[in-house]
Amino acid sequence: MITTNWWRRGATALTAAALALLAVPAQAAPVPTAAHRAGETLTVPLLEAIEALPVADEDRTGYVRTAFRHWIDADKDGCNTRKEVILREAVEAPQIGPGCSLTGGTWYSIYDGVVVTDASALDVDHVVPLAEAWDSGASAWSAAERQAYANDLDEPRDLVAVTARSNRSKSDKDIAEWRPIEEETCDYLTRWTVSKTRWRQSVDTKEKTVLRDLGATCPNEPLTITLAR
């Protein structure tokens, strides 16, 4: 009887140890990994995507805005990338005239919460600015990759139509230096994280800290991201 009880206690202890090991979450793999290729789609929680962004010092050596060719008319329909974004983001669609001239329409600028009724008052902004992209890895990209980044219509979170005033205020600042109105901060954080992940860009130390801090205040929702490179 003593032997039986000893065996049962040992078996119970082993079972508890096994369950404890199973309860420990596995180490998450970096997202994306080196094995992932352009065109693959990943779904990952916001906080995990932030943690996976590689940290590196920024370097703006050699940057010129013309290194990123834009705005192009990729589908040759008469509307360049800028106009395509403005059309896509209209709350009320404008009328399209010759040469893709736009009249009427209504837009909401997420950077400053302003309603816009004149398309000419809008800027189309790269959420991660071209200079920031250069600092974060694009200096090593091909000219074709930089053009694709500057005109990325496949990911609607990369480009955004906003008031010219808010865009000029932001300029080439990163998320540690500039953010939109408070109620749009989580959306902006998501856009920033998606773009950095999609294009495999790095972040600097201060940027990473701010991303983590902001992420802790936002819903940890899954992000679906298609890799561009």
Side-chain angles (χ1 to χ4, degrees), residues 123-227:
D123 276 0
V124 170
D125 183 46
H126 298 89
V127 171
V128 175
L130 300 181
E132 170 70 17
W134 179 274
D135 296 349
S136 307
S139 59
W141 298 355
S142 67
E145 286 178 312
R146 288 195 288 267
Q147 176 177 300
Y149 176 78
N151 298 274
D152 190 5
L153 291 172
D154 292 330
E155 172 47 72
R157 293 165 289 192
D158 265 1
L159 296 168
V160 60
V162 293
T163 61
R165 180 178 179 179
S166 66
N167 188 37
R168 309 298 159 76
S169 170
K170 174 187 171 183
S171 186
D172 59 5
K173 300 180 181 73
D174 73 15
I175 196 169
E177 303 165 315
W178 186 94
R179 290 182 289 282
I181 55 175
E182 184 176 354
E183 53 266 41
E184 298 293 347
T185 299
C186 288
D187 176 69
Y188 188 70
L189 171 67
T190 295
R191 289 170 179 266
W192 191 275
T193 304
V194 167
S195 188
K196 286 267 179 168
T197 303
R198 170 171 166 78
W199 289 93
R200 295 181 186 258
Q201 296 179 31
S202 61
V203 296
D204 62 29
T205 303
K206 184 177 179 181
E207 186 182 347
K208 183 85 157 193
T209 298
V210 169
L211 288 170
R212 284 170 170 159
D213 291 346
L214 291 176
T217 70
C218 296
N220 189 28
E221 297 178 343
L223 307 180
T224 298
I225 307 169
T226 299
L227 300 178

Side-chain angles (χ1 to χ4, degrees), residues 63-73 80-82 124-126 130 143 146-152 159:
Y63 169 71
V64 289
R65 189 171 174 81
T66 52
F68 296 81
R69 185 181 171 222
H70 65 292
W71 307 105
I72 65 171
D73 181 6
N80 63 17
T81 303
R82 178 183 178 278
V124 170
D125 183 46
H126 298 89
L130 300 181
R146 288 195 288 267
Q147 176 177 300
Y149 176 78
N151 298 274
D152 190 5
L159 296 168

Side-chain angles (χ1 to χ4, degrees), residues 9 11 13-14 19 26 34 36-37 48 59 61 66 79 81 94 121-122 136 145 154 161 185 196:
R9 286 196 300 269
L14 288 172
L19 290 173
H36 291 113
R37 295 291 180 264
E48 187 176 331
D59 184 0
T61 303
T66 52
C79 294
T81 303
L122 293 166
S136 307
E145 286 178 312
D154 292 330
T185 299
K196 286 267 179 168

